[in-house]
Amino acid sequence: MKKVLAFALTVVLTVCLTVGVLAATGDVEISVLLCPGVSIALEGEVQTLTDANGKVVYPIIYEGTTYVPVRGVGKLFGVYADWDNATRTVKLSKTPFTGQPASPSPAPGKTGGSSVQSSQYVLGVYIGDSPDDVEDEIGAPYRTIKDSKIESAFYYTNKGNFVMVQFDNSKVVFVYSLGSTTGSSDRKIYKDNIGGSNYAASVGNMSSVSVSTTEQMIFEITNAFREENGLDALDWNNKLGAAARAHSEDMADRKFFDHTNPDGDDPFDRMDNEGYSYWTAGENICAGSANAVEAMEGWINSSGHRSNILAEDFEEFGAGWAVGGSMKTYGTQCFGAPQ
């Protein structure tokens, strides 16, 4: 059950505009149709509305207008509702009104039974969700990678948004969405300082994964950013991957940071050494990034690196990651178009 305070307030304020007080006056009989069959859905999920005592309340239809119980909606999201008859105003508050119980409903978040699991979410995926919860929300992953107890799963929503989720013992611990930054107020926003927009958001703490998984994360995020900018995805090429891995390891082992190694070999020499034939090629490198997401953030916000990521001519890709050296981590992206 989703409980998103910011989204809920928008919905409640909208329905409050049509809330009326219905009563019989004198001999006039007012017919009201109770509607237990009318569903209330927020963010696509059907909700059950209850009052402060836990009793189920239903919408009603009167003279062709459907009226939604504001207190019931508010309770779902930890928001208190009250009617001020003097000013004819529906009031909403995060704290109880006079005479209301102190805790009529849980705080915003996703509940499991009667306890709150988490209020942190991105694109409808909450910290603490199970793989089934995530699939119910955004669909099945197109790819998963297992690292001991950490599983990294990759999704595209039906709206085309890229989502990367990490599970620890089958519970979501990290969510990263590229293409949509919708989420809880405590989400991290990734800014595209060159494009002038926010390009991604995340919640949770990214778990440590293997070198090969980090490389594949770089690959997936690179393609997601290309597709978000209207470009075709790149194909993984093992020779480019080998060239990239070798250079990252070389930088870590010999403690340098440059496209040209101490022997004078440049990116194109390394691709030649791996037997990769190309008519155009490029390379990005980084050092000191904690993980794939951080590495991509740096490359996206650097004009030269970004131009490689978004180059129309490139068709194939490889990524290399290494741990060690004076900068702790080293990353390499290799791009190419085969002859």
Side-chain angles (χ1 to χ4, degrees), residues 248-282:
S248 292
E249 291 177 343
D250 192 23
M251 289 191 289
D253 291 343
R254 295 202 274 180
K255 298 181 175 61
F256 73 96
F257 180 61
D258 201 300
H259 289 287
T260 301
N261 68 22
D263 301 325
D265 293 332
D266 62 23
F268 313 107
D269 293 323
R270 291 188 287 274
M271 293 180 198
D272 289 341
N273 292 339
E274 294 295 337
Y276 183 72
S277 299
Y278 56 88
W279 69 270
T280 184

Short mmCIF file of all heavy atoms in Angstrom, two decimals, residues 248-282:
data_model
loop_
_atom_site.label_atom_id
_atom_site.label_comp_id
_atom_site.label_asym_id
_atom_site.label_seq_id
_atom_site.Cartn_x
_atom_site.Cartn_y
_atom_site.Cartn_z
N SER A 248 42.13 0.08 -16.57
CA SER A 248 41.77 0.42 -15.18
C SER A 248 42.71 -0.28 -14.21
O SER A 248 43.19 0.32 -13.23
CB SER A 248 40.32 0.02 -14.89
OG SER A 248 39.43 0.83 -15.63
N GLU A 249 42.99 -1.55 -14.45
CA GLU A 249 43.90 -2.29 -13.58
C GLU A 249 45.31 -1.72 -13.65
O GLU A 249 46.02 -1.65 -12.63
CB GLU A 249 43.89 -3.76 -13.97
CG GLU A 249 42.58 -4.47 -13.63
CD GLU A 249 42.56 -5.92 -14.09
OE1 GLU A 249 43.42 -6.29 -14.93
OE2 GLU A 249 41.68 -6.69 -13.63
N ASP A 250 45.73 -1.31 -14.84
CA ASP A 250 47.07 -0.74 -15.01
C ASP A 250 47.19 0.57 -14.23
O ASP A 250 48.20 0.81 -13.56
CB ASP A 250 47.33 -0.50 -16.50
CG ASP A 250 48.79 -0.17 -16.80
OD1 ASP A 250 49.67 -0.53 -15.98
OD2 ASP A 250 49.06 0.44 -17.85
N MET A 251 46.16 1.41 -14.30
CA MET A 251 46.20 2.67 -13.55
C MET A 251 46.26 2.41 -12.05
O MET A 251 46.98 3.09 -11.32
CB MET A 251 44.98 3.53 -13.90
CG MET A 251 45.01 4.13 -15.30
SD MET A 251 43.71 5.38 -15.59
CE MET A 251 42.23 4.34 -15.63
N ALA A 252 45.50 1.41 -11.57
CA ALA A 252 45.53 1.08 -10.14
C ALA A 252 46.89 0.51 -9.73
O ALA A 252 47.46 0.89 -8.70
CB ALA A 252 44.42 0.09 -9.82
N ASP A 253 47.44 -0.39 -10.54
CA ASP A 253 48.70 -1.07 -10.20
C ASP A 253 49.89 -0.11 -10.24
O ASP A 253 50.76 -0.15 -9.37
CB ASP A 253 48.95 -2.23 -11.15
CG ASP A 253 47.96 -3.37 -10.96
OD1 ASP A 253 47.30 -3.41 -9.90
OD2 ASP A 253 47.83 -4.20 -11.89
N ARG A 254 49.92 0.74 -11.27
CA ARG A 254 51.09 1.62 -11.43
C ARG A 254 50.83 3.05 -10.95
O ARG A 254 51.66 3.94 -11.11
CB ARG A 254 51.55 1.60 -12.89
CG ARG A 254 52.06 0.24 -13.32
CD ARG A 254 52.98 0.34 -14.52
NE ARG A 254 52.25 0.34 -15.79
CZ ARG A 254 52.83 0.41 -16.99
NH1 ARG A 254 54.15 0.54 -17.07
NH2 ARG A 254 52.11 0.38 -18.09
N LYS A 255 49.64 3.25 -10.35
CA LYS A 255 49.31 4.51 -9.67
C LYS A 255 49.49 5.73 -10.57
O LYS A 255 50.17 6.71 -10.22
CB LYS A 255 50.13 4.66 -8.39
CG LYS A 255 49.89 3.57 -7.36
CD LYS A 255 50.72 3.79 -6.11
CE LYS A 255 50.38 2.76 -5.03
NZ LYS A 255 50.63 1.36 -5.46
N PHE A 256 48.84 5.68 -11.72
CA PHE A 256 48.79 6.86 -12.60
C PHE A 256 47.36 7.05 -13.05
O PHE A 256 46.50 6.17 -12.88
CB PHE A 256 49.73 6.70 -13.81
CG PHE A 256 49.23 5.72 -14.85
CD1 PHE A 256 48.53 6.16 -15.97
CD2 PHE A 256 49.47 4.35 -14.71
CE1 PHE A 256 48.07 5.25 -16.93
CE2 PHE A 256 49.02 3.44 -15.66
CZ PHE A 256 48.31 3.89 -16.77
N PHE A 257 47.08 8.22 -13.59
CA PHE A 257 45.73 8.50 -14.10
C PHE A 257 45.86 9.29 -15.39
O PHE A 257 46.09 10.50 -15.39
CB PHE A 257 44.92 9.29 -13.06
CG PHE A 257 43.52 9.61 -13.51
CD1 PHE A 257 42.62 8.59 -13.80
CD2 PHE A 257 43.11 10.92 -13.65
CE1 PHE A 257 41.32 8.89 -14.22
CE2 PHE A 257 41.81 11.23 -14.06
CZ PHE A 257 40.93 10.20 -14.35
N ASP A 258 45.74 8.57 -16.50
CA ASP A 258 45.94 9.20 -17.80
C ASP A 258 45.43 8.25 -18.88
O ASP A 258 45.37 7.04 -18.67
CB ASP A 258 47.43 9.50 -18.03
CG ASP A 258 47.65 10.58 -19.08
OD1 ASP A 258 47.22 10.39 -20.24
OD2 ASP A 258 48.24 11.62 -18.75
N HIS A 259 45.12 8.80 -20.04
CA HIS A 259 44.73 7.96 -21.17
C HIS A 259 45.94 7.24 -21.75
O HIS A 259 45.81 6.17 -22.36
CB HIS A 259 44.07 8.81 -22.26
CG HIS A 259 42.71 9.30 -21.90
ND1 HIS A 259 41.61 8.48 -21.86
CD2 HIS A 259 42.27 10.54 -21.55
CE1 HIS A 259 40.54 9.18 -21.50
NE2 HIS A 259 40.93 10.44 -21.30
N THR A 260 47.12 7.82 -21.57
CA THR A 260 48.35 7.21 -22.07
C THR A 260 49.12 6.63 -20.88
O THR A 260 49.38 7.32 -19.89
CB THR A 260 49.23 8.25 -22.78
OG1 THR A 260 48.48 8.81 -23.87
CG2 THR A 260 50.51 7.61 -23.32
N ASN A 261 49.47 5.35 -20.97
CA ASN A 261 50.15 4.71 -19.84
C ASN A 261 51.64 5.03 -19.84
O ASN A 261 52.16 5.63 -20.79
CB ASN A 261 49.87 3.20 -19.85
CG ASN A 261 50.52 2.48 -21.03
OD1 ASN A 261 51.48 2.94 -21.63
ND2 ASN A 261 49.98 1.30 -21.36
N PRO A 262 52.35 4.67 -18.79
CA PRO A 262 53.79 4.99 -18.72
C PRO A 262 54.62 4.41 -19.86
O PRO A 262 55.75 4.88 -20.11
CB PRO A 262 54.22 4.38 -17.37
CG PRO A 262 52.98 4.40 -16.55
CD PRO A 262 51.86 4.10 -17.51
N ASP A 263 54.10 3.40 -20.56
CA ASP A 263 54.81 2.84 -21.71
C ASP A 263 54.53 3.58 -23.00
O ASP A 263 55.10 3.25 -24.04
CB ASP A 263 54.42 1.37 -21.89
CG ASP A 263 54.74 0.53 -20.66
OD1 ASP A 263 55.77 0.81 -20.01
OD2 ASP A 263 53.95 -0.38 -20.35
N GLY A 264 53.64 4.56 -22.93
CA GLY A 264 53.31 5.34 -24.12
C GLY A 264 52.13 4.81 -24.91
O GLY A 264 51.80 5.35 -25.97
N ASP A 265 51.46 3.77 -24.43
CA ASP A 265 50.31 3.22 -25.14
C ASP A 265 49.07 4.07 -24.87
O ASP A 265 48.75 4.37 -23.71
CB ASP A 265 50.04 1.79 -24.68
CG ASP A 265 51.14 0.82 -25.10
OD1 ASP A 265 51.80 1.09 -26.12
OD2 ASP A 265 51.34 -0.18 -24.40
N ASP A 266 48.37 4.43 -25.93
CA ASP A 266 47.16 5.22 -25.79
C ASP A 266 45.93 4.29 -25.95
O ASP A 266 46.08 3.08 -26.16
CB ASP A 266 47.13 6.37 -26.80
CG ASP A 266 47.13 5.93 -28.25
OD1 ASP A 266 46.72 4.77 -28.54
OD2 ASP A 266 47.53 6.72 -29.13
N PRO A 267 44.71 4.83 -25.84
CA PRO A 267 43.52 3.97 -25.94
C PRO A 267 43.45 3.14 -27.21
O PRO A 267 43.02 1.97 -27.19
CB PRO A 267 42.37 4.97 -25.88
CG PRO A 267 42.91 6.15 -25.16
CD PRO A 267 44.35 6.23 -25.56
N PHE A 268 43.90 3.71 -28.31
CA PHE A 268 43.78 3.04 -29.59
C PHE A 268 44.80 1.91 -29.72
O PHE A 268 44.54 0.88 -30.35
CB PHE A 268 43.91 4.07 -30.71
CG PHE A 268 43.04 5.27 -30.45
CD1 PHE A 268 43.60 6.48 -30.06
CD2 PHE A 268 41.65 5.17 -30.51
CE1 PHE A 268 42.80 7.57 -29.78
CE2 PHE A 268 40.84 6.26 -30.23
CZ PHE A 268 41.42 7.47 -29.85
N ASP A 269 45.98 2.10 -29.09
CA ASP A 269 46.94 1.01 -29.02
C ASP A 269 46.35 -0.16 -28.25
O ASP A 269 46.50 -1.34 -28.65
CB ASP A 269 48.24 1.47 -28.33
CG ASP A 269 48.99 2.51 -29.13
OD1 ASP A 269 49.02 2.40 -30.37
OD2 ASP A 269 49.54 3.44 -28.50
N ARG A 270 45.68 0.14 -27.15
CA ARG A 270 45.11 -0.93 -26.32
C ARG A 270 44.00 -1.67 -27.06
O ARG A 270 43.87 -2.90 -26.95
CB ARG A 270 44.58 -0.35 -25.00
CG ARG A 270 45.70 0.14 -24.07
CD ARG A 270 45.18 0.52 -22.71
NE ARG A 270 44.43 1.76 -22.71
CZ ARG A 270 44.96 2.98 -22.60
NH1 ARG A 270 46.28 3.11 -22.47
NH2 ARG A 270 44.22 4.06 -22.59
N MET A 271 43.18 -0.95 -27.80
CA MET A 271 42.13 -1.60 -28.59
C MET A 271 42.75 -2.47 -29.69
O MET A 271 42.30 -3.59 -29.95
CB MET A 271 41.19 -0.56 -29.19
CG MET A 271 40.37 0.19 -28.15
SD MET A 271 39.28 1.42 -28.92
CE MET A 271 38.89 2.44 -27.49
N ASP A 272 43.81 -1.95 -30.31
CA ASP A 272 44.52 -2.73 -31.33
C ASP A 272 45.08 -4.02 -30.72
O ASP A 272 45.01 -5.10 -31.32
CB ASP A 272 45.67 -1.92 -31.93
CG ASP A 272 45.18 -0.78 -32.82
OD1 ASP A 272 44.00 -0.83 -33.26
OD2 ASP A 272 45.95 0.18 -33.04
N ASN A 273 45.64 -3.88 -29.51
CA ASN A 273 46.25 -5.04 -28.85
C ASN A 273 45.22 -6.12 -28.53
O ASN A 273 45.55 -7.31 -28.47
CB ASN A 273 46.94 -4.61 -27.56
CG ASN A 273 48.17 -3.76 -27.82
OD1 ASN A 273 48.74 -3.81 -28.92
ND2 ASN A 273 48.59 -2.99 -26.83
N GLU A 274 43.96 -5.71 -28.33
CA GLU A 274 42.89 -6.67 -28.07
C GLU A 274 42.27 -7.21 -29.36
O GLU A 274 41.36 -8.04 -29.31
CB GLU A 274 41.79 -6.02 -27.21
CG GLU A 274 42.24 -5.66 -25.81
CD GLU A 274 42.59 -6.86 -24.96
OE1 GLU A 274 42.10 -7.99 -25.25
OE2 GLU A 274 43.37 -6.70 -24.00
N GLY A 275 42.76 -6.74 -30.51
CA GLY A 275 42.24 -7.22 -31.79
C GLY A 275 40.94 -6.58 -32.21
O GLY A 275 40.20 -7.16 -33.03
N TYR A 276 40.65 -5.39 -31.68
CA TYR A 276 39.39 -4.72 -32.04
C TYR A 276 39.65 -3.81 -33.23
O TYR A 276 40.46 -2.88 -33.16
CB TYR A 276 38.86 -3.90 -30.86
CG TYR A 276 37.53 -3.24 -31.16
CD1 TYR A 276 36.36 -4.00 -31.25
CD2 TYR A 276 37.44 -1.87 -31.37
CE1 TYR A 276 35.14 -3.41 -31.53
CE2 TYR A 276 36.22 -1.26 -31.65
CZ TYR A 276 35.08 -2.03 -31.73
OH TYR A 276 33.86 -1.45 -32.02
N SER A 277 38.94 -4.05 -34.33
CA SER A 277 39.06 -3.23 -35.54
C SER A 277 37.92 -2.23 -35.58
O SER A 277 36.75 -2.61 -35.43
CB SER A 277 39.02 -4.12 -36.79
OG SER A 277 40.10 -5.03 -36.79
N TYR A 278 38.23 -0.98 -35.78
CA TYR A 278 37.23 0.09 -35.69
C TYR A 278 37.51 1.16 -36.73
O TYR A 278 38.63 1.28 -37.25
CB TYR A 278 37.27 0.72 -34.30
CG TYR A 278 38.65 1.23 -33.92
CD1 TYR A 278 39.05 2.52 -34.25
CD2 TYR A 278 39.57 0.40 -33.28
CE1 TYR A 278 40.32 2.98 -33.93
CE2 TYR A 278 40.84 0.85 -32.97
CZ TYR A 278 41.22 2.15 -33.29
OH TYR A 278 42.48 2.59 -33.01
N TRP A 279 36.47 1.93 -37.03
CA TRP A 279 36.70 3.11 -37.86
C TRP A 279 36.62 4.39 -37.04
O TRP A 279 37.12 5.44 -37.46
CB TRP A 279 35.73 3.16 -39.03
CG TRP A 279 34.29 3.42 -38.70
CD1 TRP A 279 33.33 2.51 -38.42
CD2 TRP A 279 33.66 4.71 -38.62
NE1 TRP A 279 32.14 3.13 -38.16
CE2 TRP A 279 32.30 4.48 -38.29
CE3 TRP A 279 34.10 6.02 -38.81
CZ2 TRP A 279 31.38 5.52 -38.12
CZ3 TRP A 279 33.19 7.05 -38.65
CH2 TRP A 279 31.84 6.79 -38.31
N THR A 280 36.03 4.30 -35.85
CA THR A 280 36.07 5.40 -34.90
C THR A 280 35.98 4.81 -33.51
O THR A 280 35.35 3.76 -33.30
CB THR A 280 34.93 6.40 -35.14
OG1 THR A 280 35.06 7.51 -34.24
CG2 THR A 280 33.55 5.77 -34.96
N ALA A 281 36.62 5.47 -32.55
CA ALA A 281 36.66 4.94 -31.18
C ALA A 281 36.90 6.07 -30.20
O ALA A 281 37.31 7.18 -30.59
CB ALA A 281 37.74 3.86 -31.05
N GLY A 282 36.65 5.80 -28.93
CA GLY A 282 36.87 6.79 -27.88
C GLY A 282 37.01 6.13 -26.53
O GLY A 282 36.71 4.94 -26.37
#
